Amino acid sequence: METSTIHEGGCLCGAIRYRVTSAPTALVVCHCRTCRKAAGAPSLAWAIFRMADFAFTRGELATFASSPGVERGFCARCGTTLTYADADRPDVADVTTATLDNPDAFAPTKEIWLDEKIAWEAVDHTRARYPRSSRTSEPLP
């Protein structure tokens, strides 16, 4: 994880920018169906920060309720997937790792929702692996 305490990021077109003033609390690759659909990709990497340390500095986020209690944030102008907010976890801000200005500094340490993984996608066996969320399941051997 990066040691600096200020991290910035934003969408493809630049209409939305955000700033985080803490280190991430978790770095994950999610394989769930809704993340795949939201990103149009086989998986989606997330950097999770404390909500108290997260703020938008430019633009206004558009949201979509993808499932009960979950809102996914995106740029209405360019479509970039930016955030995930779960009503059961109001104290954290999940941001798509690739939207950080320095995504290389936020390498994932966990792979989650492997029960929903696309069969042909490779898994990094050096990371902790969970069949579902890391909050609801034990890691795989």
Side-chain angles (χ1 to χ4, degrees), residues 24-41:
T25 61
L27 298 166
V28 304
V29 172
C30 185
H31 296 274
C32 81
R33 183 180 184 278
T34 56
C35 278
R36 294 192 331 259
K37 288 285 196 174

Side-chain angles (χ1 to χ4, degrees), residues 56-127:
F56 287 100
T57 58
R58 181 171 54 220
E60 189 170 327
L61 195 66
T63 60
F64 173 71
S66 62
S67 53
V70 173
E71 282 197 345
R72 293 174 182 273
F74 61 97
C75 175
R77 184 171 160 196
C78 69
T80 301
T81 298
L82 292 160
T83 65
Y84 173 95
D86 186 333
D88 291 336
R89 300 183 305 122
D91 57 331
V92 297
D94 297 28
V95 298
T96 49
T97 303
T99 65
L100 286 153
D101 291 347
N102 186 14
D104 287 336
F106 299 91
T109 59
K110 298 178 184 179
E111 299 212 27
I112 62 173
W113 290 97
L114 288 166
D115 284 353
E116 297 184 15
K117 182 181 84 57
I118 292 177
W120 50 259
E121 186 179 22
V123 172
D124 184 338
H125 291 281
T126 65
R127 298 178 185 142

